[in-house]
Amino acid sequence: MNPTIIIQPDQQSFAKYMAEIIVTAASADIEQNGVFSLVLSGGGTPQPLYELLATSDYAKRIDWERVHLFWGDDRLVPPTEDGSNYKQVKEALIDHLPIPAENVWRMKTELEMSAAVDDYLASLATFATEHQACKQWPSFDLVLLGMGSDGHTASLFPGSALDSQRDGVWGVSAEYEDRPAQRITLTESIFNDAKRIFVLVTGEKKAAMIATVINETQQPQKLPIQRIRPKSEHLTFVLDEAVAKLL
Ligand code: 6PG
């Protein structure tokens, strides 16, 4: 499968491009299905997008009553603590939106790891049963992912096993930069059931990795971002010029 590659000149146009994608997808899916399920990523790359979506120019264009937010991964820290992906999105986006609390499906990262995994699997099954008549987890309408300079995505890190058992949600421990090591993550089994996946990557330091990921042979165990191959074949890499310079 060949992903679509979108290259934006700078961070502002990058955020505007993705905000328009989300507004358009949400409007279409809410009109067709009455609901829009959006999976959010942590990290610095999506922050300008979250902040832009929170501005009235964009927020007023989405019927937030029908939007449900999920996370692709989170770190096992309290939801009020720096390092929490939920806290990041709450402050940048959720606190500025008329979204019902019950539409925000955060990972219960205050629990110990296995309990947090079981709780999120139960949440996914509840939403799927309510809205899509499928039992185990939903086919998400739009997934946002990032990529680390080591080729990880969400909290699927190099060398980790493939989710051949279709577990769906894992508890993992992985060192990356100065970020909390204990994490909860969706696996490729869930991501690849999604309708649309957008991988957001910027910055020169990831240029070599993104060129390897896109141009070279598949090595999904070593480069987890290559595990992301949605059945819908709707996979888009949204890049800035700095990270795309070797493509
Ligand atoms: C996380 C993210 C992680 C992130 C990449 C890229 O919890 O940190 O899910 O997968 O997307 O590490 O992070 P940056 O956007 O900060 O480069």
Side-chain angles (χ1 to χ4, degrees):
M1 173 182 58
N2 293 319
T4 301
I5 310 292
I6 300 289
I7 301 173
Q8 291 293 328
D10 53 44
Q11 194 174 64
Q12 188 182 17
S13 52
F14 185 100
K16 281 185 179 175
Y17 174 84
M18 276 312 306
E20 289 296 336
I21 288 285
I22 290 170
V23 166
T24 303
S27 304
D29 290 3
I30 288 168
E31 184 176 342
Q32 185 177 351
N33 309 316
V35 68
F36 179 67
S37 55
L38 175 60
V39 180
L40 301 170
S41 164
T45 304
Q47 183 69 15
L49 167 61
Y50 298 152
E51 291 169 357
L52 185 62
L53 278 175
T55 62
S56 61
D57 284 354
Y58 285 92
K60 68 187 177 189
R61 294 169 57 192
I62 293 179
D63 179 359
W64 295 100
E65 292 273 336
R66 295 184 177 275
V67 176
H68 290 256
L69 300 179
F70 301 81
W71 276 257
D73 71 326
D74 209 338
R75 298 81 176 269
L76 213 59
V77 296
T80 54
E81 199 170 284
D82 289 347
S84 160
N85 290 342
Y86 164 76
K87 179 175 184 284
Q88 173 188 356
V89 174
K90 181 180 185 298
E91 290 174 352
L93 182 58
I94 295 170
D95 286 348
H96 308 277
L97 300 176
I99 187 168
E102 61 271 20
N103 289 22
V104 179
W105 303 74
R106 74 175 179 87
M107 295 173 164
K108 301 282 177 45
T109 55
E110 64 275 23
L111 302 175
E112 61 86 26
M113 193 177 274
S114 63
V117 168
D118 293 345
D119 178 82
Y120 214 55
L121 277 167
S123 294
L124 295 177
T126 299
F127 179 82
T129 305
E130 283 173 7
H131 294 280
Q132 293 185 358
C134 53
K135 295 290 177 283
Q136 193 176 8
W137 53 64
S139 169
F140 287 115
D141 290 315
L142 196 151
V143 172
L144 296 177
L145 287 171
M147 187 195 80
S149 52
D150 60 354
H152 85 261
T153 191
S155 288
L156 303 172
F157 284 87
S160 61
L162 303 180
D163 181 21
S164 50
Q165 302 299 317
R166 286 184 64 79
D167 298 327
V169 182
W170 281 346
V172 301
S173 181
E175 299 299 324
Y176 181 73
E177 296 183 348
D178 59 348
R179 297 176 184 175
Q182 304 292 304
R183 298 150 169 263
I184 306 295
T185 188
L186 303 188
T187 71
E188 63 272 21
S189 296
I190 293 185
F191 289 131
N192 289 336
D193 283 351
K195 189 190 289 186
R196 316 170 181 87
I197 299 181
F198 289 83
V199 182
L200 312 185
V201 190
T202 60
E204 190 170 4
K205 75 173 183 178
K206 299 177 184 178
M209 180 53 72
I210 204 71
T212 299
V213 164
I214 290 173
N215 295 331
E216 294 184 16
T217 53
Q218 290 293 306
Q219 37 188 344
Q221 186 115 25
K222 183 181 172 195
L223 303 176
I225 189 66
Q226 290 183 331
R227 303 177 192 183
I228 303 304
R229 303 172 62 82
K231 301 184 187 77
S232 68
E233 300 207 1
H234 193 309
L235 174 61
T236 303
F237 280 81
V238 186
L239 312 176
D240 68 357
E241 288 177 354
V243 79
K245 71 178 191 176
L246 302 177
L247 292 183

